[in-house]
Amino acid sequence: MEYQDFLDEVANLGFVKSQDEADSMIKAVLGIMCNRMSQEDASKLTADLPEPLTMDKLRTRQPTPLVIGVQEYIREVQMQFHISGEQARVLVDTVMSL
């Protein structure tokens, strides 16, 4: 799958205003996930993703993963983009299904 496919799918969500916002949302959803995993698991997650969705670009350098629950994860996405909880769930589901 090409990165443009990711952008198109997320940009088509009713609450996403532009492809630039879609780009930020995709990177944030995957970045938050990568930072909550071990380096090995993050590497597996990003192995088949297109540029620019590489582990080096998505994962910040941390000695240990920051473990959070699903609700906290959704809330972090919601707060970062000032969207509703339901919109955050739809966004996360969409990005993860791609």
Side-chain angles (χ1 to χ4, degrees), residues 29 74 86-98:
V29 167
I74 297 294
E86 181 59 28
Q87 289 169 329
R89 280 186 211 55
V90 168
L91 174 60
V92 169
D93 287 347
T94 300
V95 172
M96 292 303 169
S97 71
L98 293 168

Side-chain angles (χ1 to χ4, degrees), residues 3-50:
Y3 188 59
Q4 188 62 48
D5 297 326
F6 279 75
L7 289 172
D8 293 343
E9 284 290 324
V10 173
N12 283 331
L13 297 175
F15 54 89
V16 179
K17 298 172 185 75
S18 67
Q19 288 226 337
D20 285 340
E21 185 176 50
D23 176 66
S24 296
M25 289 175 156
I26 293 164
K27 290 174 182 171
V29 167
L30 293 171
I32 293 166
M33 179 68 70
C34 285
N35 285 314
R36 297 331 187 242
M37 303 175 144
S38 69
Q39 185 164 344
E40 181 181 340
D41 288 340
S43 181
K44 288 177 187 176
L45 174 70
T46 59
D48 295 324
L49 295 176

Side-chain angles (χ1 to χ4, degrees), residues 7 10-11 29 31 33 35 47 54-55 57-58 60 62 64-65 70-71 73-74 81 86 92:
L7 289 172
V10 173
V29 167
M33 179 68 70
N35 285 314
T54 64
M55 188 171 79
K57 292 181 182 172
L58 295 174
T60 59
Q62 297 177 19
T64 57
V70 174
Q71 292 304 320
Y73 176 66
I74 297 294
F81 293 101
E86 181 59 28
V92 169

